[in-house]
């Protein structure tokens, strides 16, 4: 008897749930044409025309949002953004979620919109989950800049891209040339199907076909799976299999550190060059002991710095986010907005023993 | 114990007489007025909140603050029932994520929303059935079982959808989940929650089924000997919890128009915090839906107030929630020790049972009387 009562209650509950769902729409499937990514209205309000001669406004209020609090890379970016806003005479506050889930930024962004800042600079955890609330913010005149990780194109005015795939591939080829000169080189990558690394290596290979790289021979692409121990063993394997190797190029921060550690403690030290993408703090001792002469990475602080200046220029009406507009970005010089409101930071920074002590990340 | 009726919903029943009968009147009053304490805290938070930002006491804050709490609130309803029986379900947030991932997967397969929604809820109910069977069928402790299924269901969510996210849900649905009820500032999802809360309140406080929940929580053996089908009741509650968690997953997915396997991490903790803070004894046997709704308002107010101040790190929301949760378990516990100490002094030796402060008949609500 009690059971049937319970079942009726449960049935009622389901009926309410389904009823509520059914009332709101009938027969919609993925193929319907009117489906779109957001609850908010899609119009993005461009606040009038851009006036490139307008001065940067003083006292701008900007909120900076990382993907997640406590992520060291994101903290560097945000440090750059805060520095840029303070240079323009404004104030920037950092507010971020405590986890990096797809929807973790949404509720915080709603509260930030209510604070009515002049601009929001953020790295998106998910391009679409935050799109409706960002659109709402833009409708209220809040300028939205994404950096490092983009939101849906119509949910922000400007995206700061740290580096294009092309520029990294070209950079790796240049490093191969400057460390090896001529002779055999090898690549120590992450996993065999890592999309970033594979795209970079592909461009690097194409670049090596050019006449200025004549005499360089890529003998092997090895995979250390971004695992320190495995990368170490792969570096060891490469050097015993190819005794004439001049340089190992590792486009992953794990691989380059492991290879440098192996070489610095082996008879190959000083004979085989290690280069690629790494962080200064990780590589400092190998640069100091002569194992590594140069390596590269984009500077996360510069990514944030550029995002800060883009936000200030937007909020001051200097730019509106359209392709071809340009603005002064402090120490980074004049930057121009590319297609889809994207600004590329530029080629990665090269670190050598002369400049490595200026960086701390 | 007479403040439940003042909840903004007006739907939470108040069936316990406000009269305190036993001789420990001072203590009983303090414990008995748990909802009063929460109401005072709500007033404090709202006063601080309006000091933090002029945006705090606005319709928009109500809209955004409450819709952000939809999922916690909905998860808290079946959890109230489960915790009142002395069990726990830690897997609710993972069921929520599984439901979201399944929704995204099925949508990608081209199924209509009208088919996807019931499938997700049934899938959630199946998850609950697994929990319930492990707990009641095999007699395993619910804490261990649901820690295991918490990882299991979350893992399944990633298996179903991988690390991608699905976003092209129909605007009819997302607009509903994003929108407000009529022309008011109350979100549609909160109206749905209030309807569910009313049903849960009636079931828990007005039906024999509800009485049996408290009886089981107060003393499982006694409940069994008095002819209650303990396992069967608990199995049903776990199934219910799974189905409701799946519903919460659907709402979260529609509200953000994004289905992903990594949504809702840690939601179970906020939902459980609301239940315990709402005066439901973590040892079972007592509690009210009204108290839980008040606790949700308190936690929602705290989150909104802290988020409106850019100088306050988001970590503080977690810190304050944690302190309140500990306080809500510790408070009655200390009070019970104090009472035992007094009794011992007055009447000589009397067995003290540490760790069961909310022992059946004298729980904070007095709601757990099993002599009915």
């Amino acid at each position: 008897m009690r059971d049937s009562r319970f079942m009726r209650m449960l049935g009622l509950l389901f009926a309410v749930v389904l009823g509520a769902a059914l009332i709101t729409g009938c027969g919609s499937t993925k193929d319907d044409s009117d489906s779109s990514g957001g609850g908010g209205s899609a119009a993005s309000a461009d606040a009038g025309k851009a006036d490139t001669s307008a001065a940067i406004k003083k006292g701008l209020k900007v909120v900076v949002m990382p993907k997640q609090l406590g992520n060291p890379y994101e903290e560097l970016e945000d440090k750059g953004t805060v520095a840029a806003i303070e240079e323009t005479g404004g104030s920037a506050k950092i507010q971020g979620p405590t986890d990096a889930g797809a929807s973790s930024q949404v509720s915080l962004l709603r509260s930030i919109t209510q604070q009515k800042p002049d601009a929001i600079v953020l790295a998106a955890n998910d391009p679409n989950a935050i799109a409706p609330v960002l659109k709402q913010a833009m409708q209220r005149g809040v300028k939205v800049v994404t950096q490092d990780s983009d939101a849906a194109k119509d949910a922000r005015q400007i995206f700061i891209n740290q580096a294009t795939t092309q520029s990294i591939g070209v950079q790796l080829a240049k490093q191969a040339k400057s460390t090896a000169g001529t002779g055999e080189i090898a690549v120590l990558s992450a996993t065999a199907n890592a999309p970033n690394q594979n795209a970079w290596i592909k461009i690097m290979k194409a670049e090596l076909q050019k006449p200025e790289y004549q005499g360089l021979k890529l003998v092997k692409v090895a995979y250390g799976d971004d695992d320190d121990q495995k990368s170490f063993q792969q570096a060891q394997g490469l050097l015993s299999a190819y005794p004439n190797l001049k340089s190992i190029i590792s486009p992953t921060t794990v691989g380059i550190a492991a290879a440098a550690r192996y070489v610095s403690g082996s008879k190959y030290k000083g004979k085989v060059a290690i280069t690629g993408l790494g962080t200064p703090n990780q590589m400092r001792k190998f640069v100091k002991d002569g194992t590594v002469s140069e390596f590269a990475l984009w500077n996360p602080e510069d990514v944030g710095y550029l995002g800060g200046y883009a936000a200030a220029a937007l909020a001051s009406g200097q730019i509106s986010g359209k392709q071809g507009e340009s603005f002064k970005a402090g120490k980074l010089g004049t930057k121009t907005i590319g297609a889809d409101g994207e600004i590329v930071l530029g080629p990665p920074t090269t670190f050598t023993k002369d400049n490595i002590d200026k960086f701390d990340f | 114990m007479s403040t439940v009726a003042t909840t903004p919903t007006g739907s939470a029943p108040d069936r316990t007489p406000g009269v305190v009968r036993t001789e420990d009147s001072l203590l009983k009053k303090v414990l008995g007025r748990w909802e009063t304490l929460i109401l005072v805290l709500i007033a404090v938070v709202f006063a601080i909140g309006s000091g933090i930002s002029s945006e705090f006491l606005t319709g928009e804050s109500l809209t955004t603050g409450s819709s952000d709490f939809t999922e916690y609130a909905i998860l808290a309803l079946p959890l109230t029932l489960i915790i009142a029986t002395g069990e726990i379900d830690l897997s609710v947030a993972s069921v929520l994520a599984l439901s979201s991932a399944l929704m995204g997967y099925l949508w990608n397969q081209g199924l209509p929303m009208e088919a996807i929604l019931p499938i997700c809820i049934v899938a959630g109910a199946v998850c609950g059935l697994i929990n319930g069977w492990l707990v009641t069928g095999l007699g395993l402790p619910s804490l261990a079982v649901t820690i295991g299924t918490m990882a299991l269901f979350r893992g399944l969510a990633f298996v179903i959808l991988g690390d991608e996210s699905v976003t092209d849900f129909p605007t009819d649905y997302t607009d509903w989940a994003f929108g407000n009820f009529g022309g008011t500032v109350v979100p549609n999802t909160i109206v749905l929650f209030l309807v569910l809360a009313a049903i849960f309140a009636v079931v828990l406080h007005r039906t024999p089924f509800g009485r049996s929940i408290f009886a089981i929580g107060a003393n499982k053996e006694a409940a069994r000997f008095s002819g209650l089908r303990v396992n069967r009741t608990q199995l049903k509650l776990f199934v219910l919890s799974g189905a409701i968690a799946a519903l919460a997953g659907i709402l979260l997915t529609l509200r953000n128009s994004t289905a992903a396997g990594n949504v809702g991490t840690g939601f179970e903790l906020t939902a459980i915090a609301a239940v315990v803070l709402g005066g439901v004894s973590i040892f079972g046997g007592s509690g009210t839906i009204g108290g839980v709704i008040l606790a949700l308002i308190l936690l929602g107010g705290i989150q909104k107030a802290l988020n409106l101040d850019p100088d306050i790190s988001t970590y503080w929301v977690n810190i304050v929630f944690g302190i309140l949760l500990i306080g809500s378990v510790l408070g009655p516990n200390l009070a019970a020790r104090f009472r035992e100490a007094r009794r011992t002094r007055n009447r000589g030796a009397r067995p003290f049972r540490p760790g069961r402060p909310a022992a059946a008949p004298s729980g904070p609500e007095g709601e757990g009387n099993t002599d009915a």
Side-chain angles (χ1 to χ4, degrees):
Chain A
M1 186 194 77
R2 205 174 275 131
D3 284 358
S4 66
R5 191 190 286 266
F6 175 81
M7 291 316 289
R8 255 182 290 156
M9 282 296 179
L10 204 63
L12 183 63
L13 212 122
F14 275 56
V16 168
V17 169
L18 290 182
L22 282 169
I23 286 163
T24 56
C26 284
S28 22
T29 68
K30 188 177 170 60
D31 304 324
D32 288 3
S33 55
D34 66 337
S35 65
S36 91
S41 155
S44 79
D46 274 349
K49 287 267 177 284
D51 174 13
T52 43
S53 61
I56 295 279
K57 285 185 194 150
K58 298 280 173 208
L60 290 172
K61 283 195 314 181
V62 177
V63 177
V64 188
M65 181 179 281
K67 287 182 178 181
Q68 179 181 13
L69 292 178
N71 173 332
Y73 183 86
E74 298 274 317
E75 275 173 4
L76 282 165
E77 276 186 358
D78 293 346
K79 201 174 137 197
T81 312
V82 172
I85 297 296
E86 284 173 354
E87 273 180 33
T88 69
S91 66
K93 308 278 186 190
I94 297 173
Q95 267 193 291
T98 52
D99 73 276
S103 57
S104 61
Q105 290 173 318
V106 176
S107 69
L108 208 48
L109 279 169
R110 283 207 192 107
S111 293
I112 290 170
T113 306
Q114 278 184 273
Q115 295 168 20
K116 303 190 186 73
D118 294 298
I120 301 173
V121 181
L122 80 156
N125 278 326
D126 183 281
N128 296 296
I130 54 171
V133 53
L134 286 182
K135 284 177 194 162
Q136 215 171 47
M138 293 200 306
Q139 277 167 359
R140 296 188 184 188
V142 180
K143 306 299 175 189
V144 178
V145 174
T146 53
Q147 58 190 19
D148 168 27
S149 169
D150 201 4
K153 284 185 178 55
D154 59 345
R156 49 85 179 150
Q157 274 124 340
I158 285 177
F159 168 51
I160 310 294
N161 196 348
Q162 49 216 355
T164 58
T165 305
Q166 179 72 26
S167 71
I168 295 171
V170 170
Q171 173 73 26
L172 292 173
K174 278 187 190 151
Q175 286 179 342
K177 173 85 179 165
S178 71
T179 57
T182 56
E184 292 183 355
I185 56 169
V187 169
L188 175 59
S189 184
T191 58
N193 54 4
N196 281 349
Q197 272 80 9
N198 285 350
W200 298 333
I201 293 167
K202 197 173 150 196
I203 292 186
M204 177 188 164
K205 280 180 176 165
E207 198 69 10
L208 290 176
Q209 302 304 315
K210 292 186 178 169
E212 63 257 42
Y213 294 107
Q214 211 172 16
L216 274 180
K217 186 168 171 246
L218 178 59
V219 292
K220 170 92 176 167
V221 178
Y223 299 99
D225 292 349
D226 264 352
D227 174 271
D228 182 68
Q229 202 54 42
K230 178 142 194 235
S231 302
F232 188 88
Q233 288 160 4
Q234 289 291 322
Q236 199 174 7
L238 280 173
L239 286 169
S240 54
Y242 304 96
N244 297 324
L245 214 53
K246 299 284 269 301
S247 182
I248 296 177
I249 296 110
S250 183
T252 151
T253 56
V254 180
I256 190 174
R261 203 174 75 243
Y262 172 67
V263 169
S264 74
S266 76
K267 60 179 176 175
Y268 302 105
K269 185 176 168 184
K271 297 186 187 110
V272 178
I274 305 294
T275 189
L277 303 178
T279 69
N281 286 351
Q282 211 182 13
M283 301 302 292
R284 195 174 322 265
K285 63 172 181 282
F286 303 119
V287 171
K288 298 263 160 109
D289 77 2
T291 311
V292 174
S293 62
E294 65 170 275
F295 65 97
L297 197 65
W298 50 87
N299 183 346
E301 267 190 77
D302 285 350
V303 176
Y305 185 85
L306 181 52
Y309 264 97
L314 272 172
S316 306
Q318 268 188 2
I319 53 173
S320 66
K322 289 195 185 69
Q323 185 170 2
E325 293 172 345
S326 61
F327 62 99
K328 281 213 174 59
K331 64 178 183 189
L332 297 176
T334 301
K335 291 284 174 185
T336 305
I337 302 172
D340 292 328
E342 208 172 293
I343 306 174
V344 179
L345 177 65
T349 308
T350 299
F351 304 99
T352 63
K353 67 178 187 331
D354 297 326
N355 71 355
I356 193 163
D357 282 333
K358 290 187 207 145
F359 299 94
D360 182 20
F361 66 94
Chain B
M1 196 43 237
S2 56
T3 54
V4 189
T6 60
T7 58
T9 69
S11 60
D14 178 17
R15 65 193 301 257
T16 315
V19 191
V20 180
R21 282 157 298 163
T22 43
E23 53 268 61
D24 304 314
S25 55
L26 180 90
L27 190 66
K28 276 251 166 181
K29 266 183 197 160
V30 175
L31 284 179
R33 287 186 191 154
W34 190 259
E35 281 88 351
T36 319
L37 180 65
I38 302 290
L39 270 178
V40 170
L41 285 175
I42 290 175
V44 169
V45 165
F46 276 58
I48 295 174
S50 43
I52 283 178
S53 168
S54 57
E55 283 291 322
F56 182 71
L57 283 180
T58 58
E60 190 187 357
S61 279
L62 176 69
T63 307
T64 59
S66 64
S67 77
D68 287 338
F69 248 64
T70 304
E71 291 78 27
Y72 302 133
I74 288 182
L75 292 178
L77 292 174
L79 273 174
T80 301
L81 271 51
I82 288 185
I83 292 176
T85 66
E87 301 291 341
I88 195 133
D89 185 354
L90 294 173
S91 71
V92 285
S94 296
V95 176
L96 176 149
L98 181 59
S99 162
S100 178
L102 186 62
M103 202 172 154
Y105 172 78
L106 294 175
W107 180 249
N108 270 351
Q109 300 301 307
L111 261 71
M113 282 303 266
E114 290 68 29
I116 293 174
L117 298 183
I119 292 174
C120 283
I121 289 179
V122 168
V126 170
C127 289
L129 189 66
I130 295 169
N131 280 333
W133 178 72
L134 289 170
V135 172
T136 62
L138 298 185
L140 302 173
S142 57
L143 184 73
V145 165
T146 56
I147 283 178
T149 52
M150 174 166 75
L152 173 71
F153 298 149
R154 177 73 66 176
L156 281 177
F158 283 109
V159 168
I160 289 174
L161 203 56
D163 52 6
E164 63 173 317
S165 60
V166 178
T167 57
D168 52 350
F169 293 106
T171 42
D172 289 350
Y173 284 85
T174 54
D175 282 349
W176 177 83
F178 205 71
N180 286 351
F181 186 71
T184 65
V185 292
V186 182
N188 285 325
T189 52
I190 288 297
V191 173
L192 176 60
F193 162 72
L194 292 175
V195 171
L196 288 176
I199 297 170
F200 270 82
V202 168
V203 170
L204 184 61
H205 300 300
R206 297 273 186 218
T207 64
F209 183 75
R211 300 301 292 167
S212 73
I213 286 172
F214 287 125
I216 291 166
N219 190 330
K220 203 186 256 190
E221 285 311 305
R224 189 168 285 137
F225 282 123
S226 44
L228 294 177
R229 300 166 89 172
V230 173
N231 282 346
R232 200 155 176 160
T233 304
Q234 289 188 334
L235 182 67
K236 282 176 193 162
L237 292 182
F238 277 106
V239 172
L240 183 65
S241 175
I244 295 286
L247 170 67
I250 291 169
L251 292 177
L252 181 68
T253 304
L254 292 178
R255 233 160 42 75
N256 295 326
S257 61
T258 299
N262 65 357
V263 294
T265 320
F267 275 25
E268 70 281 348
L269 296 181
T270 307
I272 291 169
V275 173
V276 176
L277 187 59
V280 180
S281 167
I282 194 75
F283 306 103
S286 65
T288 61
I289 294 284
V292 173
I293 293 174
L294 283 180
L296 285 164
I297 293 170
L298 176 63
L299 294 179
I302 291 171
Q303 174 170 314
K304 189 81 217 173
L306 295 183
N307 282 353
L308 278 175
D309 187 340
D311 287 325
I312 299 175
S313 164
T314 322
Y315 286 123
W316 278 102
V317 177
N318 298 358
I319 293 170
V320 174
F321 282 12
I323 291 171
L324 282 175
L325 182 56
I326 292 170
S328 63
V329 179
L330 195 65
N333 198 317
L334 287 179
R337 276 163 194 262
F338 173 70
R339 178 180 52 194
E340 288 294 338
R342 263 198 347 173
R343 271 191 194 157
T344 318
R345 227 184 12 251
N346 293 346
R347 303 184 205 166
R350 194 191 150 107
F352 171 52
R353 295 186 299 160
R356 290 229 19 139
S362 55
E365 312 313 318
E367 186 62 74
N369 289 326
T370 51
D371 49 352

